[in-house]
Structure formats: C-alpha cells, structure tokens
Amino acid sequence: EMAKQNSPSLAEVVKRVAEQQQSQVSDIEKRKAVLFQLQAKCQQLEKEMNSILLETKTTEREIHLQDDAIEVKKYQCENLEAQVRALYSENLKLRCDAERAQEEFEMILARNNEYREKIKAHKHLFWEMESKMPVMIELAKKKAVVEELKTKKEELTCDLQNPEGSVIKQVQEEITLLKTEITTLKDFIDKKTDLLEEEKKKHAKLRKEIEVQNKRYDAILKRLHCQLNKVHSNKRQWHWNIQQLEKKAAELRKCLGVAELQNI
C-alpha cells in the first residue's frame, strides 16, 4: 500500500507525458520559427550578396569603360597637342607673312600716295585748261541759264501759293472759260441725245413696219411659189397631153396614108 501511495498514478503519468510532449511541441514550434527566421534572413543575405555582386560587376564594367574613355581622352589630348603645335607653327608662319605683307602694303601705299599727288596736280592742270575751252564756257552759260530758270521756278511757286497772284487769276479765268465750254458741250450733248432717242424711236417704228412688210412679202412669195409649182405641174401635164396627141396624130396619119394607098 505504501508503494502504491508513493508510485504516481497512471493519470498523472499520462498528464506528465502530455505536458512533456506539449513542451516539446512548443520547443519545436519555437525552433521552427527561429529556423524560418534564419532561412528568411539567409535568403535576404543571399539577395543582398547577389545585388552587391551585380553592383560590383557594374562598377567594374564602369571602371573599364572609364579606363577606355581615359585612353580615348589621352589620345585626343595627344592629337590636340599635335594640332596646337602645328597651329603655333602655322601662326608663326602667318605672322611672318603678315609682317612681309604689311611692309609690301606700306610700300604700295607710299607709291599710291605719290601717284595720287601726281593725279591731283594733273587734274588741277586739266581743270585750268578745261575752263578755258569753248565747250566749258558754253557749259557755264547753260548753268547760268539753269540757275535763272530755277529762280523763275521759285518765283512761280511763290506766286502759285499766293491767292492774289497773277498766275492764280489767269488759271481761275481759264477754269471759268473751261466750265462755260463744258456747259455748252453738255447742252449740245443733251440735244444730240434727244435727237438720237427720236431717231431710235423712228428706227424702231420702221423696223416694225419692215418686219410686217417682210412677213407680207414672205406670204406673197410662198403663194407665188405654190402657183409656180402648180404651173410647172400643169406644164408637165400639158406636155404629156401634147405628146399623147402627137402620137394619136401620127397614128391617124398612118391610117390616112394606108387608106389613100388602098383607094389608089
């Protein structure tokens, strides 16, 4: 009995076993959760590592591209340096050519100035000789006439601008005469227009009468044509009748000739 009392009962054993199993299941679940977390973290770390590797490759590619670009730039710089040296040499040559051209230009300018002075002296001498020529004297006279005409033109312009000027009065008188002539011509034209209208009316009346006469003559002409056609028809009929009578007369003559022969 003491042993029975000291030994646990079956229910307690089952309960303990169940509690142990429950504890083990809980531990397993916790470990699974930790495992899932570790797996997720591991996947995240793998993704980050892949991303870092990709960035590293991209960076290496960019470094290679930059190295190539640096080489290209270096080559371009060398070419530019060569071009600069060539341009510097060409500039030196051009400077020498420019200095030589400047010297030649100064020499040509000096010769041109000397030639210009000679031309000026020659022109002055020519003008002096030309002013004494008859043609130039005549030209001077014509210039004086032109100046005089210009003066008269200015005087006439001033006179035209003055309402009381003689030219204005003369023009006004001419305008009055022209107006009178225009009025006379208008009256004459009006009279001629009236006469023309009367003539038009007469012509219209005559045209109507002529149309009536033409219609009458057309009717007469048609009637005459009909009569002429009838005459032609009668003529043909008469001609046919005459031919028939001539045939009968010929037959009668034959008959008479035969009768006379028989009587003989």
Side-chain angles (χ1 to χ4, degrees):
E1 288 179 0
M2 289 293 293
K4 287 181 181 180
Q5 289 177 355
N6 290 328
S7 62
S9 64
L10 181 60
E12 291 177 352
V13 171
V14 171
K15 185 178 180 181
R16 288 178 184 175
V17 170
E19 288 176 354
Q20 289 177 358
Q21 287 179 351
Q22 185 67 30
S23 176
Q24 288 176 358
V25 168
S26 178
D27 290 338
I28 290 169
E29 291 295 329
K30 288 179 181 179
R31 288 176 182 177
K32 280 184 179 180
V34 171
L35 180 62
F36 287 149
Q37 290 177 359
L38 291 173
Q39 286 178 349
K41 190 175 288 186
C42 184
Q43 289 177 357
Q44 183 67 28
L45 289 172
E46 286 180 356
K47 288 181 181 179
E48 291 178 358
M49 185 179 290
N50 291 329
S51 177
I52 291 167
L53 288 173
L54 183 62
E55 289 179 0
T56 303
K57 289 180 180 179
T58 304
T59 304
E60 288 177 354
R61 192 180 299 110
E62 289 177 355
I63 290 169
H64 287 305
L65 291 173
Q66 288 179 359
D67 290 338
D68 294 337
I70 289 168
E71 290 295 327
V72 172
K73 294 293 182 184
K74 189 185 291 184
Y75 177 72
Q76 290 177 353
C77 288
E78 291 175 355
N79 286 333
L80 288 173
E81 288 176 357
Q83 291 177 8
V84 167
R85 286 193 294 271
L87 288 172
Y88 181 73
S89 176
E90 189 175 355
N91 283 334
L92 288 176
K93 184 180 178 182
L94 288 173
R95 189 178 298 169
C96 294
D97 292 340
E99 290 175 356
R100 191 181 304 109
Q102 182 67 26
E103 292 175 357
E104 292 177 357
F105 174 74
E106 289 176 356
M107 291 173 63
I108 292 169
L109 185 62
R111 286 200 298 269
N112 286 340
N113 289 331
E114 184 180 356
Y115 179 73
R116 192 178 291 111
E117 292 297 329
K118 289 181 180 179
I119 291 294
K120 191 182 293 184
H122 181 70
K123 281 184 177 180
H124 183 69
L125 180 62
F126 179 76
W127 286 338
E128 287 181 354
M129 293 175 65
E130 191 180 42
S131 62
K132 297 176 182 179
M133 293 173 66
V135 175
M136 297 306 296
I137 294 170
E138 185 68 23
L139 181 62
K141 290 180 180 179
K142 288 183 178 180
K143 284 183 178 179
V145 171
V146 169
E147 291 296 328
E148 185 179 355
L149 289 173
K150 283 183 179 179
T151 304
K152 287 183 179 180
K153 180 183 176 183
E154 291 175 357
E155 291 176 356
L156 285 172
T157 304
C158 294
D159 196 3
L160 287 171
Q161 291 175 355
N162 184 10
E164 299 298 327
S166 59
V167 176
I168 294 293
K169 289 181 179 179
Q170 184 179 356
V171 170
Q172 288 176 350
E173 290 175 357
E174 290 178 357
I175 289 170
T176 304
L177 289 173
L178 285 172
K179 285 182 178 179
T180 305
E181 291 179 0
I182 289 168
T183 304
T184 305
L185 284 172
K186 281 184 177 179
D187 294 337
F188 179 74
I189 289 167
D190 291 336
K191 290 178 181 178
K192 288 292 182 182
T193 304
D194 294 336
L195 290 173
L196 183 62
E197 290 296 328
E198 291 179 1
E199 289 294 328
K200 283 183 178 179
K201 290 178 181 178
K202 289 180 181 179
H203 282 294
K205 186 177 180 181
L206 286 172
R207 192 179 294 111
K208 289 181 181 179
E209 291 177 357
I210 289 168
E211 288 177 356
V212 172
Q213 292 294 331
N214 285 333
K215 289 179 180 179
R216 187 180 300 164
Y217 292 149
D218 287 338
I220 293 169
L221 188 62
K222 286 180 181 178
R223 188 166 62 252
L224 289 173
H225 276 299
C226 291
Q227 291 176 359
L228 184 62
N229 291 330
K230 189 174 181 180
V231 168
H232 283 305
S233 177
N234 291 332
K235 185 178 179 181
R236 285 193 295 272
Q237 184 66 36
W238 293 339
H239 183 68
W240 187 80
N241 291 333
I242 289 167
Q243 287 179 349
Q244 294 297 321
L245 290 172
E246 286 178 351
K247 287 180 181 180
K248 287 181 179 180
E251 290 176 357
L252 289 171
R253 285 193 198 97
K254 286 181 181 180
C255 291
L256 288 172
V258 171
E260 287 176 357
L261 288 173
Q262 288 177 356
N263 291 326
I264 293 171

